[in-house]
């Protein structure tokens, strides 16, 4: 019996408690979060997705593991900036975690969405589970947009301060609905300070954007402080004199079409 107790004690020492394990995870993931704040690069994105896959799987394995992630603040630590989709290995686990106890999505402040890799229901999930997003980046916003859903505008209308959109074109489906997107943003978002648009490479898209920015009923544009536009047909300050009169800083950069 003494030998059995001794063996059990050794085994317990060999298996660190969940709190210790999560503290170790927090230390390992910290450089990734700092790297994303400093500037997103592909290597940092991959490291973040790999770390998140491990974290989501750990929290999904049992109730005690799920609870300890919330207790030590690891979700708060890693989800301040979120890349979506997180990767095939972490998608299902993260979906369950975002909707589960503790609601870790409340800690997300900056969200970067790859629109080409969206699945049906993703936007609705993020809008419901991440209510405090302040900065949103839509990468490869193409003809299909965000699957026709603008529910995120209603959810983040009082929190979103920065919006960046990189437009994407499709040879078969045509240009992205940039004008429609900004019309919804203009009617919905009330505290937007910064708007960054890139990939403006068609006259039609340019016209649609200018029309949306000119809408007199747009509350968002009354709080707008900075507009940055890039593309071979980028919106210029001369096209938006009403913004200039309101004191909005308008920067335009003409670059070669690189969206295809």
């Amino acid at each position: 019996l003494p030998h059995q107790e001794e063996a059990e004690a050794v085994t317990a020492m060999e298996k660190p408690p969940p709190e210790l394990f999560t503290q170790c995870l927090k230390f390992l993931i910290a450089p990734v979060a700092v790297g994303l704040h400093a500037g997103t690069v592909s290597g940092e994105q991959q490291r973040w997705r790999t770390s998140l896959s491990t974290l989501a799987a750990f929290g999904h394995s049992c109730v005690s593991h799920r609870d300890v992630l919330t207790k030590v603040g690891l979700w708060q630590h890693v989800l301040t900036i979120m890349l979506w989709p997180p990767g095939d290995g972490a998608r299902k686990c993260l979906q369950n975690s975002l909707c589960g106890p503790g609601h870790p999505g409340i800690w997300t402040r900056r969200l970067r969405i790859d629109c080409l890799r969206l699945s049906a229901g993703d936007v609705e999930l993020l809008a419901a589970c991440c209510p405090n997003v302040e900065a949103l980046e839509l990468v490869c916003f193409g003809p299909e947009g965000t699957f026709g859903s603008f529910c995120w505008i209603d959810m983040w209308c009082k929190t979103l301060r920065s919006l960046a959109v990189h437009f994407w074109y499709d040879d078969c489906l045509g240009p992205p609905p940039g004008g429609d997107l900004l019309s919804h943003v203009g009617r919905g978002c009330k505290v937007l300070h910064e708007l960054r648009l890139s990939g403006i490479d068609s006259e039609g898209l340019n016209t649609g954007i200018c029309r949306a920015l000119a809408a007199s009923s747009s509350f968002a544009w009354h709080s707008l402080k900075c507009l940055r536009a890039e593309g071979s047909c980028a919106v210029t300050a001369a096209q938006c004199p009403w913004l200039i009169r309101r004191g909005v800083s308008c920067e335009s950069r003409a670059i070669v079409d690189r969206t295809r």
Side-chain angles (χ1 to χ4, degrees):
L1 184 60
H3 294 290
Q4 182 179 354
E5 293 177 350
E6 182 179 351
E8 290 176 353
V10 172
T11 301
M13 293 177 61
E14 292 176 348
K15 295 182 179 180
E19 291 83 354
L20 177 59
F21 180 72
T22 51
Q23 290 292 353
C24 292
L25 277 178
K26 186 174 183 178
F27 174 78
L28 293 173
I29 294 175
V32 182
V34 171
L36 287 171
H37 279 289
T40 302
V41 294
S42 58
E44 293 293 342
Q45 292 180 28
Q46 186 56 46
R47 289 175 60 201
W48 183 88
R49 288 190 171 98
T50 301
S51 300
L52 190 63
S53 297
T54 302
L55 184 62
F58 175 77
H60 192 61
S61 59
C62 69
V63 175
S64 61
H65 289 177
R66 180 197 66 196
D67 293 342
V68 78
L69 290 180
T70 302
K71 180 180 178 181
V72 301
L74 192 50
W75 281 125
Q76 177 182 356
H77 179 70
V78 75
L79 289 183
T80 301
I81 299 175
M82 186 190 299
L83 308 178
W84 192 271
D88 296 335
R91 180 190 287 265
K92 185 63 176 178
C93 288
L94 184 56
Q95 286 175 341
N96 294 334
S97 298
L98 288 176
C99 299
H103 303 288
I106 63 174
W107 303 112
T108 299
R109 297 295 183 271
R110 175 181 167 187
L111 177 60
R112 186 176 192 267
I113 299 177
D114 184 346
C115 297
L116 286 181
R117 299 175 60 210
L118 279 176
S119 297
D122 279 0
V123 175
E124 290 79 1
L125 172 73
L126 293 171
C129 298
C130 306
N132 300 314
V133 172
E134 298 176 356
L136 174 65
E137 183 178 0
L138 299 176
V139 181
C140 295
F141 184 88
E144 296 179 331
T146 51
F147 279 85
S149 175
F150 293 109
C151 63
W152 54 270
I153 296 176
D154 296 330
M155 178 57 69
W156 301 325
C157 63
K158 296 182 180 179
T159 63
L160 193 64
R161 298 180 178 275
S162 175
L163 174 64
V165 186
H166 175 76
F167 296 110
W168 179 264
Y169 299 73
D170 186 277
D171 290 335
C172 296
L173 300 178
D180 291 341
L181 169 67
L182 294 183
S183 293
H184 283 85
V185 170
R187 289 194 298 268
C189 297
K190 297 175 175 60
V191 295
L192 192 68
H193 289 175
E194 180 186 33
L195 180 63
R196 294 183 288 122
L197 308 172
S198 61
I200 308 174
D201 295 309
S202 74
E203 293 294 343
L205 181 56
N206 176 293
T207 301
I209 291 173
C210 289
R211 186 180 298 115
L213 292 173
S216 58
S217 62
S218 300
F219 295 102
W221 310 143
H222 292 288
S223 63
L224 193 65
K225 303 298 182 185
C226 179
L227 170 65
R228 294 186 175 91
E230 292 184 359
S232 57
C233 299
V235 175
T236 65
Q239 292 179 293
C240 305
W242 56 91
L243 294 180
I244 300 299
R245 288 194 294 269
R246 254 194 263 149
V248 178
S249 172
C250 297
E251 302 178 14
S252 179
R253 182 185 178 196
I255 59 176
V256 178
D257 182 352
R258 59 181 181 183
T259 60
R260 302 179 190 275

